[in-house]
Amino acid sequence: MCIATLKGIEAQLSTLALQSQDESAQKAFHESMLTIEDVQKDLHKRQVEIEREEPQYKQS
């Protein structure tokens, strides 16, 4: 669920970057989107590790 939320935020930031007329705002939205993308990838990687180490936490 958390990863899906981060993907949604990433998509919203991407949309805001594309729609913004202000160049500095575009850059800020884009950089924020990249940060969220990195967090989402790290979180997903950790989720896979936990599910491998602790099978009871594996989501169906």
Side-chain angles (χ1 to χ4, degrees):
M1 179 118 136
C2 184
I3 292 174
T5 301
L6 288 172
K7 286 182 181 181
I9 292 168
E10 183 183 342
Q12 289 174 339
L13 288 167
S14 177
T15 299
L16 289 169
L18 292 171
Q19 291 177 348
S20 179
Q21 302 295 321
D22 184 332
E23 209 170 301
S24 64
Q26 288 176 343
K27 184 178 179 183
F29 288 134
H30 182 72
E31 289 174 358
S32 296
M33 181 199 71
L34 294 176
T35 300
I36 294 294
E37 181 181 30
D38 288 343
V39 169
Q40 183 264 322
K41 286 179 182 178
D42 289 345
L43 187 59
H44 179 71
K45 189 185 308 181
R46 184 65 184 132
Q47 177 186 2
V48 170
E49 290 172 7
I50 290 171
E51 289 175 350
R52 186 174 38 246
E53 294 170 6
E54 303 289 341
Q56 70 269 25
Y57 294 114
K58 188 170 182 108
Q59 294 181 350
S60 314

